[in-house]
Amino acid sequence: VTMGEDKKIHLKRELGYFWGTSFIIINIIGAGIFVSPKGVLEHSAMNVGISLCIWAACAVLSLTFSLCSAEIGITFPYSGAQYCFIKRCYGPLVAFLRLWTNLFTGAGIVASQALLLAEYSIQPFFPSCSVPKLPMKCMALAMLWVVGILNCRGVKEATWLQAVSTMIKVSILSLISLSGMFMLVRGKAENVGRLQNAFDAEVPAVYQIVEAVFQGYFAFSGGGCLTNVAGELKKPRVTIPKCLFTAFPVVTVLYLLVNISYMTVLTPREILSSDAVAITWTDRVIPQLTWFIPFAISASLFSNLLTNVLQTSRMLYIAGQQDQLPLLFKTLNIHSSPLICVLLNIIMGSIAIVVTNLIELINYLYFVISIWTVLSMIGLLKLRYQEPNLHRHFKVLTPFILITMAINLSMVLIPLVKSPKMHYIYVLLFLFSGLLFYIPLTYFKLKLVWFEKLTCYLQLFFNVCIPDKSNEQI
């Protein structure tokens, strides 16, 4: 008996334009714009005008990277496209090292987001002191496993939650923006005065501007997220560019207006001395809503946590499909979700939450992510030279590739030059430690009898199977 297409088990292309746009908005808007937008202002030598210009410039720079990622997702339109692209450019060994890095950085970032989410969720119950570690870790673990269960239920199950989260984020930022605009229009001298002489402060040095750009660039990061779920998008060649050109203007306008609102109400020194600028702003403008801001930050982080687990699991799944991971990783459950991949990510994230010292490594692992971004940009140029006839429905301008490469190369070199530490050597050694697994298990295809028996048992226990062949696969 042939099953209907809707009953086949495979990653289904059922996500459209609205879902893709909200996915990008959720990924870009994290807790940073609520908590600490002061980094750009501080490195701009408290020059309000220049700091706003840097925010606008960072939006353009982040869009260039997102467009480069879009070319990868459109040329290789399936989930985990970054992994497939690296494998196509550099071969299976480099692709495995990319996967190895992603396995740990993904789990570490998920753990740090869960801890931050738990901190903001519990903070209102401890108004006069810091949050105790034990309740915070328990809450983080609970949140992480809730996110894992939602991901195991399939993408559609989480769509409504994503829509609600997007509405909350945009509504809170719109409230802050419109309140700031109202104060400017009302024309109160102290509010207007702060922006009238926006460029009067000292001009920052070039190295300070570079630091400020890095701060803003991180606030806009996440725009290339659709590349990881391209295999579940309807008509990815059309949907990805449309989503990017909708989400980025919305986020850019919101970020600029929110910063203008902060600077209308607070002096630069007040912004720099605040641990959570949005809460300080609310205390000054709408004190009745001060309790609501931690909730908004929590909702923001919960959706980021959900999408990060989704993305990381897709890369593990496609690696399983390419036979670089054990058979279990190429299986799906009845909801067409890579349950084993999600489970591995959640377990590793849970370990990182319990052993908090691992979270400190994330700062160092970010520079490894920049290395992979540089390699991806080189790969785009390499494929254009080696495979000029490869069918590309979308081709980003070469200067965009070079700009993205320059920014990420700076993120690798500046920390090494500015504060050289042995930690960077350890991180590189960790990167190459993936060879210890690649050589025996993938290159020589070493078979372990006990592991094959365990695989059969786990397939039955989790009720997962190898997916049906899909017409959407390439």
Side-chain angles (χ1 to χ4, degrees):
V1 180
T2 305
M3 296 176 73
E5 180 64 27
D6 58 330
K7 293 185 178 179
K8 282 188 177 181
I9 295 178
H10 59 81
L11 293 182
K12 298 179 177 70
R13 293 193 182 276
E14 53 187 5
L15 305 172
Y17 164 73
F18 176 77
W19 187 92
T21 304
S22 64
F23 192 70
I24 295 173
I25 290 173
I26 280 175
N27 262 274
I28 296 176
I29 302 177
I33 193 65
F34 297 109
V35 181
S36 183
K38 59 187 180 183
V40 176
L41 185 63
E42 182 181 358
H43 292 292
S44 303
M46 292 196 288
N47 190 312
V48 171
I50 288 178
S51 72
L52 291 174
C53 292
I54 287 171
W55 277 106
C58 289
V60 176
L61 292 174
S62 185
L63 180 60
T64 62
F65 166 68
S66 301
L67 290 173
C68 294
S69 294
E71 181 177 334
I72 295 171
I74 291 169
T75 309
F76 305 94
Y78 34 70
S79 294
Q82 283 281 359
Y83 167 84
C84 299
F85 172 73
I86 291 287
K87 190 177 180 185
R88 178 78 166 255
C89 291
Y90 301 106
L93 171 59
V94 179
F96 184 86
L97 293 178
R98 172 74 177 90
L99 175 72
W100 177 254
T101 308
N102 188 74
L103 184 63
F104 289 92
T105 54
I109 291 166
V110 159
S112 63
Q113 285 182 330
L115 284 167
L116 197 57
L117 167 59
E119 186 178 351
Y120 277 100
S121 301
I122 299 174
Q123 186 64 62
F125 300 100
F126 297 92
S128 57
C129 61
S130 58
V131 177
K133 283 191 175 181
L134 184 60
M136 185 171 76
K137 287 189 179 185
C138 291
M139 174 67 85
L141 287 169
M143 293 288 191
L144 187 55
W145 282 92
V146 167
V147 163
I149 292 166
L150 284 170
N151 268 286
C152 291
R153 296 284 300 170
V155 176
K156 276 287 185 182
E157 291 289 324
T159 302
W160 66 270
L161 185 63
Q162 182 176 301
V164 170
S165 176
T166 306
M167 292 292 291
I168 290 173
K169 287 185 180 187
V170 173
S171 299
I172 295 296
L173 293 180
S174 299
L175 174 67
I176 294 173
S177 304
L178 292 174
S179 300
M181 291 299 101
F182 175 75
M183 288 179 179
L184 282 176
V185 170
R186 199 173 59 175
K188 208 171 179 181
E190 61 177 316
N191 296 328
V192 177
R194 292 192 182 108
L195 291 175
Q196 272 183 337
N197 306 311
F199 291 92
D200 282 2
E202 67 172 290
V203 178
V206 174
Y207 76 91
Q208 289 178 301
I209 291 176
V210 171
E211 290 278 0
V213 167
F214 285 162
Q215 295 281 332
Y217 188 74
F218 275 119
F220 276 102
S221 63
C225 56
L226 286 184
T227 306
N228 292 315
V229 292
E232 292 157 90
L233 292 173
K234 298 173 185 174
K235 301 179 181 177
R237 293 173 178 128
V238 177
T239 304
I240 292 176
K242 276 176 66 178
C243 292
L244 278 175
F245 286 115
T246 304
F248 262 92
V250 170
V251 173
T252 303
V253 169
L254 280 174
Y255 272 23
L256 285 172
L257 290 179
V258 165
N259 274 285
I260 289 171
S261 182
Y262 288 155
M263 292 166 187
T264 301
V265 175
L266 305 169
T267 64
R269 293 199 179 279
E270 285 174 328
I271 292 173
L272 294 187
S273 62
S274 171
D275 290 327
V277 181
I279 294 175
T280 308
W281 181 94
T282 312
D283 274 336
R284 188 75 55 86
V285 181
I286 320 170
Q288 299 88 343
L289 287 181
T290 303
W291 63 271
F292 187 66
I293 295 300
F295 166 73
I297 295 169
S298 298
S300 171
L301 280 167
F302 187 82
S303 56
N304 283 86
L305 187 59
L306 189 72
T307 56
N308 262 311
V309 172
L310 177 73
Q311 292 179 72
T312 308
S313 63
R314 285 343 184 239
M315 185 170 283
L316 292 172
Y317 171 73
I318 201 67
Q321 289 282 313
Q322 300 279 331
D323 296 322
Q324 286 214 324
L325 286 176
L327 181 140
L328 268 177
F329 290 93
K330 66 166 76 173
T331 59
L332 298 174
N333 65 6
I334 56 171
H335 302 290
S336 295
S337 171
L339 185 147
I340 301 297
C341 300
V342 172
L343 193 60
L344 178 66
N345 198 20
I346 296 299
I347 290 171
M348 292 191 65
S350 300
I351 293 169
I353 287 171
V354 175
V355 188
T356 36
N357 288 337
L358 288 177
I359 306 302
E360 295 170 10
L361 285 175
I362 293 168
N363 292 331
Y364 299 104
L365 291 175
Y366 263 121
F367 106 106
V368 181
I369 294 171
S370 296
I371 291 173
W372 286 116
T373 305
V374 171
L375 285 173
S376 294
M377 297 305 105
I378 294 170
L380 274 175
L381 297 173
K382 182 172 179 279
L383 275 191
R384 287 187 183 182
Y385 174 73
Q386 291 182 338
E387 301 183 46
N389 298 322
L390 182 67
H391 199 50
R392 296 174 176 88
H393 288 265
F394 177 84
K395 194 173 179 180
V396 73
L397 296 172
T398 304
F400 286 11
I401 300 175
L402 297 175
I403 288 168
T404 303
M405 197 188 303
I407 291 171
N408 283 277
L409 202 56
S410 302
M411 288 179 178
V412 174
L413 296 177
I414 286 176
L416 290 174
V417 174
K418 191 175 178 183
S419 55
K421 295 177 182 176
M422 281 299 292
H423 291 80
Y424 294 113
I425 304 296
Y426 299 149
V427 169
L428 289 173
L429 288 174
F430 151 75
L431 172 62
F432 289 108
S433 68
L435 294 171
L436 298 175
F437 291 86
Y438 174 80
I439 293 170
L441 300 176
T442 304
Y443 187 77
F444 288 110
K445 301 189 185 300
L446 180 66
K447 300 291 182 185
L448 303 172
V449 177
W450 65 268
F451 190 79
E452 290 181 358
K453 288 181 180 178
L454 180 64
T455 297
C456 292
Y457 174 75
L458 290 174
Q459 272 190 273
L460 291 169
F461 182 78
F462 289 112
N463 193 21
V464 294
C465 65
I466 296 173
D468 302 303
K469 290 291 182 185
S470 166
N471 294 329
E472 299 294 335
Q473 288 180 327
I474 294 178

